[in-house]
Amino acid sequence: MTMNATGGEATFADLGLRSELLEVLSALGYEEPTPIQREAIPPLVQGSDLLGQAATGTGKTAAFALPVLQRMPPPGGGAGPATLVLVPTRELAIQVSEAFHRYGRILGTRVLPIYGGAPIGRQLQALKRGVDVVVATPGRALDHIGRGTLDLEDLRTVVLDEADEMLDMGFADDIEEILAATPEDRQTVLFSATLPPRIDGIARRHLNDPVRIEMGHAAAEGREATPLVEQSAYLVARAHKPAALGRLLDVEAPAAAIVFCRTRDEVDQLTETMNGRGHRAEALHGGMEQEQRDRVMSRLRAGTADLLIATDVAARGLDIEQLTHVVNYNVPSAPEAYVHRIGRVGRAGREGAALTLVEPREHRMLKAIERVTKQRIQVERLPTVADLQARRMELTRAALEECLIQEDLEPFHAVVESLTDEFDLMEVALAAVKLVHESSGAVLDEQEIPEVAPRTADKRRGGREAPDSERYTRAPAGGMVRLFFSLGRSAGVRPQDLVGAIAGESSLSGRDIGAIEIADRFSLVEVPQAAADEVIAALRRSTIKGRRPTVRRERDTRGRRT
Ligand code: AMP
């Protein structure tokens, strides 16, 4: 781990970043570099090549974007872009472009995402005007190189992001062809969630004496550190995370919980949201004065607050007796951070719970944490509205039971007696329970939180083709429809060509695509029902193996649409 001169963990300033970038990071509420950033930024700033193993959620985008921006010649220097980032999907092209834009705005860096499915005219205009960073899917990048509209002569840095995914999607040849069109003396950076031999092959051919970084081999101490903590994770789309957190806290009803966020802004926003939902939440982050922080801590200790929403930096060194729950609002950026966080509960033999919200794309990171801690993190279903109602009823029942055992109820005798003149005793009890239940202050929460599936890497292309016996007879998998492509084996079409075209031209990633069947003169590809029209529209504008296919929903023999 990179340390600074005083022996503490390195800050962004220690990593050699220029002052404008430090300002941006501070304005974004980033308090400290993530482990991959600590390791990768110094050599990249020096111009080294790098082979990094890092999944989404580790902060890898900033790990390569910040050094690239640091080394960027002043805008308007060369004719062509100075940086090319290759990514597997349109979705990632947009995300990475947004990150470059966010970090580089202050330097005037011009960023252009290039992917299939978007009108090429705008891309051509932008390229003509001049851009500094191009973030592209391999297919569309090659298209522009072929047309002579993407000039790679001035390129200083090439980044291959999520390289394993690009290979899985059949982009290996495209990547080779693009790299062959770049200057020999370029800096090359390769990030990949996994490092299979094929990635090593690319690294050997195209990287020059690279620095190698592999994350997630430390923190073995986590094994003993966390035996009493029950760990669970919940898959949830980003848009539903505040509701998911609220639901979990309502159902778990922790005595005191700490919720970890990535940035100051996230802490402030979430504190406001949770207070709006009736929780007693307090924010704690590095942007606060010591005096403010002390006040927060005393409110927590006195029990006037029960929810602490904090960044890692601000929570470091805190020892809070009452804590029963640690919530990771995002998957932490490294297994080590996870181990530190959950070590805050389950202390001194007490039991604790650690809950982690996981966006589908962060699922891999969760697996990395399991590997390092050698403990399973149970992925559970988020409580439904019915679960929540049942839990509230249970709490009401428990409150009544406690009252029956402990309280002196004599003063209320007369009330009940006078009511029983007119009503049945059972009815009186029901009305009393209803009043207690309704006065418990529970916020009405009746929106179901949609379930999402993880983006796992299990669906490798090798397993995609259906066995012969099943060919053309099976119904598509649930939620999927089959698309008909008018090109097949005789046109040289392989599964990877179809996956590459669909993922390159639409918002789907390779993992969203289901079974592929290739016949001599046509192919059938399963895609999620909701994305079918988008895929059809996108593919009509593009070519596969140099030919423009007819694409439509498959009709079965009775003419019914699938
Ligand atoms: P990535 O792994 O690149 O997809 O980044 C995951 C998320 O972490 C993104 O939302 C980033 O904005 C955020 N992030 C990256 N670096 C930091 C940092 N040092 N501190 C806080 N958040 C960060």
Side-chain angles (χ1 to χ4, degrees):
M1 179 127 313
T2 313
M3 299 285 201
N4 63 14
T6 53
E9 280 187 3
T11 63
F12 278 117
D14 296 328
L15 302 182
L17 290 175
R18 57 204 266 188
S19 58
E20 293 98 323
L21 292 173
L22 295 179
E23 261 172 54
V24 170
L25 295 171
S26 157
L28 287 172
Y30 289 15
E31 298 196 326
E32 59 172 0
T34 66
I36 188 92
Q37 291 163 1
R38 282 202 178 98
E39 299 294 320
I41 291 175
L44 288 179
V45 164
Q46 296 302 321
S48 296
D49 282 6
L50 184 137
L51 172 62
Q53 187 231 322
T56 294
T58 52
K60 67 180 164 69
T61 314
F64 64 76
L66 294 169
V68 157
L69 291 165
Q70 169 107 352
R71 287 164 48 79
M72 191 70 74
T83 301
L84 172 67
V85 184
L86 291 176
V87 295
T89 61
R90 159 172 125 165
E91 188 190 6
L92 194 62
I94 293 171
Q95 261 174 38
V96 170
S97 296
E98 284 172 357
F100 266 102
H101 187 69
R102 223 172 21 242
Y103 305 136
R105 190 164 19 191
I106 195 168
L107 303 171
T109 309
R110 297 160 304 171
V111 188
L112 180 68
I114 286 186
Y115 47 82
I120 203 156
R122 251 204 329 259
Q123 296 176 0
L124 290 173
Q125 275 171 14
L127 284 167
K128 217 182 232 158
R129 277 198 305 273
V131 294
D132 305 301
V133 180
V134 168
V135 184
T137 52
R140 198 37 93 85
L142 262 188
D143 190 357
H144 278 284
I145 294 169
R147 287 166 182 247
T149 46
L150 179 58
D151 174 5
L152 300 182
E153 248 169 50
D154 297 312
L155 215 59
R156 292 191 177 188
T157 305
V158 175
V159 182
L160 306 176
D161 191 16
E162 302 203 352
D164 50 355
E165 177 110 341
M166 287 200 278
L167 294 189
D168 283 349
M169 288 166 58
F171 286 134
D173 295 346
D174 292 2
I175 291 172
E176 296 285 339
E177 210 174 322
I178 295 167
L179 288 176
T182 62
E184 280 269 315
D185 62 351
R186 59 165 203 269
Q187 178 186 35
T188 313
V189 183
L190 188 159
F191 274 107
S192 186
T194 56
L195 296 179
R198 288 189 308 157
I199 295 285
D200 269 332
I202 292 196
R204 265 198 312 278
R205 282 194 302 282
H206 298 291
L207 271 59
N208 179 13
D209 193 17
V211 173
R212 258 184 102 104
I213 298 177
E214 291 182 46
M215 284 283 124
H217 290 296
E221 80 270 19
R223 259 171 275 171
E224 286 81 40
T226 56
L228 287 171
V229 182
E230 192 182 315
Q231 301 170 54
S232 29
Y234 301 86
L235 278 170
V236 57
R238 182 184 302 205
H240 297 288
K241 279 164 77 171
L245 175 63
R247 179 76 53 85
L248 284 170
L249 292 173
D250 288 344
V251 169
E252 294 271 326
I258 184 164
V259 180
F260 283 100
C261 292
R262 283 203 177 113
T263 66
R264 284 175 203 166
D265 293 359
E266 201 170 53
V267 165
D268 285 335
Q269 275 172 26
L270 193 59
T271 306
E272 205 171 300
T273 309
M274 296 320 286
N275 281 324
R277 289 181 59 106
H279 291 273
R280 298 176 307 163
E282 293 281 349
L284 194 72
H285 58 60
M288 295 163 60
E289 301 289 332
Q290 188 58 43
E291 199 187 320
Q292 278 175 297
R293 296 200 217 179
D294 292 344
R295 266 206 303 276
V296 166
M297 291 314 296
S298 48
R299 280 201 282 273
L300 202 75
R301 295 211 166 89
T304 48
D306 44 28
L307 196 57
L308 191 61
I309 303 190
T311 56
D312 284 290
V313 170
R316 208 160 278 158
L318 286 185
D319 189 7
I320 310 158
E321 272 258 323
Q322 304 87 323
L323 275 189
T324 53
H325 288 66
V326 167
V327 183
N328 296 303
Y329 193 63
N330 317 92
V331 178
S333 61
E336 294 83 339
Y338 180 85
V339 172
H340 279 141
R341 287 179 180 184
I342 72 169
R344 311 203 156 266
V345 289
R347 289 187 168 189
R350 283 179 286 127
E351 283 181 29
L355 317 177
T356 303
L357 299 187
V358 185
E359 291 175 37
R361 64 195 192 100
E362 293 172 332
H363 193 248
R364 264 210 182 142
M365 197 54 207
L366 194 70
K367 294 280 148 205
I369 292 171
E370 282 187 332
R371 269 197 306 279
V372 170
T373 59
K374 302 228 175 355
Q375 292 187 346
R376 255 189 76 62
I377 304 173
Q378 196 64 37
V379 176
E380 296 188 15
R381 197 174 50 87
L382 275 169
T384 60
V385 172
D387 293 336
L388 178 62
Q389 282 164 348
R391 172 72 176 147
R392 286 197 182 132
M393 212 48 103
E394 199 182 294
L395 291 173
T396 298
R397 187 189 173 284
L400 285 166
E401 194 173 26
E402 197 177 317
C403 181
L404 282 164
I405 294 167
Q406 293 186 354
E407 304 284 330
D408 172 14
L409 300 173
E410 192 49 39
F412 304 99
H413 225 127
V415 178
V416 175
E417 240 158 42
S418 72
L419 283 168
T420 48
D421 290 345
E422 221 181 309
F423 302 96
D424 185 53
L425 193 55
M426 183 63 163
E427 281 177 316
V428 175
L430 289 173
V433 173
K434 179 169 183 271
L435 282 181
V436 173
H437 189 68
E438 287 177 353
S439 68
S440 63
V443 185
L444 266 183
D445 173 8
E446 291 180 343
Q447 291 275 327
E448 291 294 1
I449 300 167
E451 276 188 52
V452 284
R455 297 220 187 129
T456 56
D458 323 329
K459 259 205 278 171
R460 293 280 178 229
R461 214 180 17 261
R464 273 214 178 96
E465 283 204 65
D468 274 335
S469 60
E470 288 182 24
R471 286 198 167 203
Y472 318 125
T473 53
R474 237 170 5 97
M480 306 288 274
V481 288
R482 211 154 19 211
L483 299 186
F484 169 92
F485 287 69
S486 62
L487 294 175
R489 209 173 292 121
S490 58
V493 170
R494 302 158 306 164
Q496 55 264 46
D497 300 319
L498 294 164
V499 175
I502 295 171
E505 302 290 331
S506 73
S507 62
L508 292 186
S509 106
R511 291 169 187 152
D512 301 325
I513 300 168
I516 294 178
E517 299 167 11
I518 298 185
D520 270 349
R521 319 198 58 130
F522 67 93
S523 311
L524 300 170
V525 183
E526 281 181 17
V527 298
Q529 171 108 34
D533 289 338
E534 183 209 337
V535 173
I536 293 171
L539 272 282
R540 279 191 181 145
R541 291 189 298 266
S542 73
T543 57
I544 296 177
K545 290 274 163 189
R547 295 168 59 174
R548 196 175 291 271
T550 303
V551 187
R552 56 170 167 76
R553 283 169 196 257
E554 183 209 14
R555 283 171 225 271
D556 72 12
T557 46
R558 286 164 301 243
R560 184 166 47 81
R561 283 187 156 202
T562 56

